[in-house]
Amino acid sequence: MQLGAWMKAIFAEKDVVFYLQAIESNDGACKLGNVGRICDEYRSTASYASKSQGVDVP
């Protein structure tokens, strides 16, 4: 998350910057304990598996 904030601060005037971790974690709202993680709604599931990576599990 700190890397994303740095990139936005440095490059925002010249480029469009979005940080995938922020999007997939709903800006840090999804956590396992104190560790940020990808929210369940963005994970691959058995009914919608990622073509190259298979199924994600928490």
Side-chain angles (χ1 to χ4, degrees):
M1 298 294 279
Q2 291 175 345
L3 175 62
W6 175 82
M7 289 175 62
K8 289 177 185 177
I10 298 298
F11 299 108
E13 292 183 15
K14 296 186 248 175
D15 298 305
V16 175
V17 178
F18 66 94
Y19 197 50
L20 191 56
Q21 179 181 354
I23 295 168
E24 292 182 337
S25 70
N26 291 341
D27 286 321
C30 294
K31 294 184 178 184
L32 183 59
N34 271 343
V35 178
R37 67 176 186 89
I38 296 173
C39 296
D40 289 339
E41 63 259 32
Y42 303 116
R43 292 183 171 279
S44 297
T45 63
S47 61
Y48 191 73
S50 172
K51 186 175 183 179
S52 62
Q53 297 179 3
V55 176
D56 287 339
V57 293

